[in-house]
Amino acid sequence: MQKEEYLGQAERSAVRRCPTLKFCAGNNANGTSATNSSDIYNIVLLVVDIVLLLVKFWLAIVESIVGLFQTKVQENVSGKFVLITGAGHGMGKQMALQYAALGATVICWDVNEQTNNQTVKDIKQKGGKAFGYVCNVTKREELIELAQKVRKEHGFIHVVVNNAGIMPCHTLLEHTENEIRLMYDINVISHFWMIQSFLPDMIERNEGSIVALSSCAGLFGLINLVPYCGTKFAVRGYMAALAEELRQKNPQNNVKLTTIYPYMIDTGLCKNPRYRFPSLFQLISPDVAAASIIQAQREGLEEAAIPRSYLALEKIGRLVPRKAMRLVNDFVDTGVDTDKH
């Protein structure tokens, strides 16, 4: 009897909360129906997104393949300001001369005042425009102060080329602490200070180019260049990450980033090159390398090797088992011998 009375009270309480049990049941049914409809809607949206992804994916691949057979339009740099670090020697000097020949005004930075002034003098003798500044890129405050001065004196810098670098060639255990720290300060860390100094203006105007010199040592690990390879792989990594930051921040981003992977260039940095097949792997002259870099920048390429085929070879090599690639490397026998005697 007590049990039946308790059940009766529970039923009356339920009725008070919901005037009709049938209405409450209807609410539950409608809620379930709404949930099911929402799930179906989300699934349809996901399917549509996947279809759009596949269409865009294959269109991008087709576009890239077609682009291989098309002549790319090169940006006109005439009348624009181009800043090059390490402009007193080698590829930096050759880039300065060639940019000036294209009508650009070249801002030459180098730690060596004498060689830097000579580059400026050579440009002016050929009718070009150039300005020279002494800068130790490892000194952050000095670099930032000079960057502010350059922007104040010349305005917007359209192209920044992070070219300065050093390349000690000996085994890791023979490297000193100072060598390794200096190599990273010049080859990598200074790039961050340059980018922080000049990129904000580029973002504000949504134009400009940053070129970073990596190396084929940023594509392949090489003996006697362990810390150097580390710096050049770092350049490759930070440029790829920065490109994503800019793209995510502004889908219509028009600031170009170009990473360059030169093979051994005949600038004096590579003191003891070694190659089994000299006709295939001979040193590249600085003027040829400079022309290739400038072309890549003007075409807006994200990556470019010198020679161009090396980037494709690296991507193919990643698909081949490591043991098999080592057999190929041993057969080719190309690299750099130690500069320690």
Side-chain angles (χ1 to χ4, degrees):
M1 182 68 179
Q2 291 178 350
K3 183 176 181 181
E4 290 175 357
E5 184 179 349
Y6 174 78
L7 289 174
Q9 290 174 353
E11 288 174 357
R12 287 193 296 273
S13 176
V15 169
R16 282 196 298 270
R17 290 195 303 269
C18 180
T20 65
L21 290 175
K22 182 177 179 182
F23 179 76
C24 286
N27 273 349
N28 290 336
N30 290 338
T32 302
S33 176
T35 301
N36 290 338
S37 297
S38 177
D39 289 343
I40 293 172
Y41 178 73
N42 289 333
I43 291 172
V44 170
L45 282 182
L46 178 60
V47 170
V48 170
D49 283 345
I50 292 173
V51 171
L52 287 175
L53 169 63
L54 291 173
V55 170
K56 292 178 180 179
F57 177 83
W58 287 108
L59 283 176
I61 289 179
V62 171
E63 182 182 354
S64 298
I65 293 173
V66 172
L68 295 174
F69 303 96
Q70 292 179 329
T71 302
K72 292 181 173 62
V73 177
Q74 296 191 22
E75 178 187 8
N76 182 11
V77 294
S78 180
K80 297 178 179 178
F81 286 90
V82 176
L83 190 155
I84 303 171
T85 64
H89 175 72
M91 284 191 299
K93 178 169 186 171
Q94 290 300 320
M95 280 189 281
L97 291 169
Q98 293 182 33
Y99 268 119
L102 292 170
T105 299
V106 184
I107 311 297
C108 300
W109 283 17
D110 202 288
V111 71
N112 188 317
E113 184 176 10
Q114 183 178 355
T115 59
N116 200 46
N117 287 342
Q118 187 61 49
T119 298
V120 173
K121 182 179 178 181
D122 292 344
I123 290 173
K124 290 181 176 179
Q125 284 179 343
K126 295 181 178 181
K129 296 180 181 179
F131 299 87
Y133 299 87
V134 177
C135 182
N136 183 344
V137 295
T138 68
K139 307 295 184 181
R140 182 177 185 272
E141 295 305 321
E142 178 184 327
L143 186 156
I144 292 174
E145 183 179 342
L146 181 56
Q148 291 172 344
K149 179 181 178 181
V150 166
R151 292 200 308 273
K152 183 178 180 180
E153 292 180 356
H154 304 290
F156 179 63
I157 306 301
H158 191 86
V159 180
V160 173
V161 183
N162 283 314
N163 167 72
I166 60 173
M167 190 178 79
C169 304
H170 34 271
T171 64
L172 174 62
L173 299 183
E174 293 177 303
H175 276 78
T176 66
E177 177 186 353
N178 288 338
E179 273 184 325
I180 293 174
R181 290 188 181 278
L182 182 61
M183 203 184 320
Y184 272 85
D185 281 342
I186 297 174
N187 295 6
V188 185
I189 304 300
S190 69
H191 291 205
F192 297 145
W193 314 147
M194 293 291 292
I195 291 169
Q196 287 182 340
S197 296
F198 294 102
L199 180 59
D201 286 349
M202 294 182 181
I203 292 175
E204 183 178 348
R205 296 167 61 111
N206 197 26
E207 64 174 314
S209 298
I210 293 175
V211 180
L213 270 291
S214 179
S215 167
C216 280
L219 299 176
F220 314 101
L222 300 171
I223 65 170
N224 296 318
L225 293 174
V226 174
Y228 180 77
C229 285
T231 67
K232 295 307 181 178
F233 270 90
V235 170
R236 184 183 192 182
Y238 90 68
M239 286 289 278
L242 181 58
E244 284 304 299
E245 277 195 2
L246 294 177
R247 186 180 69 86
Q248 292 287 341
K249 185 174 182 179
N250 178 14
Q252 282 74 48
N253 170 61
N254 197 40
V255 178
K256 309 293 185 184
L257 303 182
T258 300
T259 309
I260 304 293
Y261 308 99
Y263 177 63
M264 293 184 287
I265 311 298
D266 190 12
T267 61
L269 282 180
C270 187
K271 297 179 177 62
N272 298 306
R274 181 188 73 256
Y275 21 67
R276 182 179 179 183
F277 306 103
S279 59
L280 294 177
F281 299 100
Q282 60 186 343
L283 293 179
I284 299 171
S285 66
D287 58 327
V288 171
S292 183
I293 294 168
I294 293 172
Q295 179 185 358
Q297 178 270 311
R298 295 180 65 199
E299 291 180 353
L301 301 183
E302 290 189 29
E303 294 184 302
I306 307 171
R308 291 287 192 265
S309 59
Y310 277 37
L311 194 57
L313 289 175
E314 184 268 344
K315 295 183 185 303
I316 294 171
R318 295 285 178 183
L319 303 175
V320 177
R322 183 66 61 85
K323 185 176 181 179
M325 277 307 301
R326 284 173 175 159
L327 292 172
V328 175
N329 293 339
D330 292 345
F331 174 78
V332 173
D333 192 24
T334 299
V336 178
D337 288 330
T338 180
D339 53 17
K340 295 281 189 180
H341 298 291

